[in-house]
Amino acid sequence: MSAINGDKARFNRRRRQKISRRQSNEKMLKALAEKHLVAPAAPANLKEKMA
C-alpha cells in the first residue's frame, strides 16, 4: 500500500522516526559546536599575543 491509499500507521511511524532523528542530530551538533567553539578560544588568543 502507499501513503495515499491509507497505510498511515507505517508511513507516520517512519515520518516520526525521521523527525526524531533530525532533532537529535541537531541537538548533538549544537552541543559539539558550543563545546569546541567556546573552550579553545581564550588560550589560543593568549598564545598569539605572547609570541
Side-chain angles (χ1 to χ4, degrees):
M1 273 187 145
S2 68
I4 296 168
N5 287 335
D7 192 4
K8 298 211 186 273
R10 180 175 55 161
F11 288 99
N12 282 335
R13 181 179 59 83
R14 288 183 183 168
R15 181 180 63 83
R16 287 192 312 267
Q17 283 177 340
K18 288 178 190 176
I19 292 170
S20 176
R21 188 176 304 120
R22 271 187 245 124
Q23 289 174 341
S24 63
N25 284 343
E26 185 178 334
K27 185 190 294 186
M28 177 190 65
L29 290 173
K30 281 184 180 178
L32 287 173
E34 289 175 3
K35 181 179 175 183
H36 289 291
L37 290 178
V38 175
N45 289 339
L46 292 175
K47 288 179 185 175
E48 290 175 8
K49 288 180 183 176
M50 295 175 105

